[in-house]
Amino acid sequence: MGYVLQTPQGSLIVVDGGRPKDAEYLAHFIQNRGGKVTTWFITHPHIDHIGALAKIVERQSIAIDTIYGSFPDEKWVKKHCRPYRIRDYNYAIGQLKKHHLAVTDLEVGQKLTIDDLEIRVLGVKNPEITINPKNNSSVVLKMADASASILFLGDLGI
């Protein structure tokens, strides 16, 4: 999953980005729109959502001002997730750390404004959820301007 939004003022906002194999296309798409991402949101750290970002960071192919997410800690991931999910998590988080990119933690109720776009955080990680744990702790975002709104659910389950 990956979405790129561009405000009328030219700011680029990315939600997730897709798998590592999507990185080349996504980086090219972003380069064609100025090569700079104002804000990158990660709904949850599964490889099909964060993999393209990890690969782009590894290649250092675009500029990113701020990355937002809500990640469970490594101890929780090891306890509740399958081994291949732990490997994917470690790869993605490792690339961000290696390149000194911090993920700013989101909180429920938080409001962000980028140009004329209002972003409301409706959901974040929940360590009490242990069934399909990372999907069911996806960040939930509502983005709206004067003419439209969109709801991002990541892979949130029931």
Side-chain angles (χ1 to χ4, degrees):
M1 182 178 104
Y3 299 90
V4 179
L5 294 84
Q6 187 169 21
T7 68
Q9 296 83 358
S11 295
L12 286 183
I13 301 159
V14 178
V15 178
D16 291 335
R19 297 179 176 280
K21 69 180 181 179
D22 301 317
E24 186 175 340
Y25 176 82
L26 181 58
H28 182 73
F29 188 87
I30 292 167
Q31 287 290 356
N32 286 340
R33 285 151 188 82
K36 179 183 172 195
V37 173
T38 302
T39 307
W40 198 307
F41 291 97
I42 304 164
T43 61
H44 63 289
H46 276 161
I47 203 72
D48 59 328
H49 293 259
I50 194 173
L53 172 61
K55 189 61 75 173
I56 286 169
V57 166
E58 184 178 2
R59 295 178 182 162
Q60 300 180 4
S61 56
I62 62 168
I64 305 167
D65 286 346
T66 307
I67 302 171
Y68 286 102
S70 181
F71 296 169
D73 64 40
E74 190 174 348
K75 182 179 176 183
W76 186 90
V77 170
K78 285 180 180 177
K79 182 177 180 182
H80 297 289
C81 298
R82 296 182 178 138
Y84 75 94
R85 296 283 194 199
I86 295 167
R87 183 191 66 238
D88 292 345
Y89 175 88
N90 288 338
Y91 163 70
I93 301 305
Q95 286 303 319
L96 296 175
K97 287 180 180 178
K98 180 179 177 182
H99 295 282
H100 310 290
L101 292 170
V103 176
T104 302
D105 207 33
L106 293 166
E107 297 179 18
V108 170
Q110 186 174 356
K111 293 181 185 178
L112 303 164
T113 302
I114 301 170
D115 299 334
D116 295 332
L117 187 66
E118 181 180 286
I119 302 160
R120 297 178 60 151
V121 180
L122 304 178
V124 295
K125 68 184 173 208
N126 183 342
E128 294 177 10
I129 297 173
T130 58
I131 306 279
N132 195 9
K134 283 197 270 180
N135 283 342
N136 287 328
S137 280
S138 290
V139 167
V140 177
L141 302 168
K142 181 179 180 183
M143 298 186 188
D145 65 10
S147 63
S149 69
I150 187 168
L151 186 64
F152 292 96
L153 301 174
D155 281 339
L156 193 64
I158 294 172

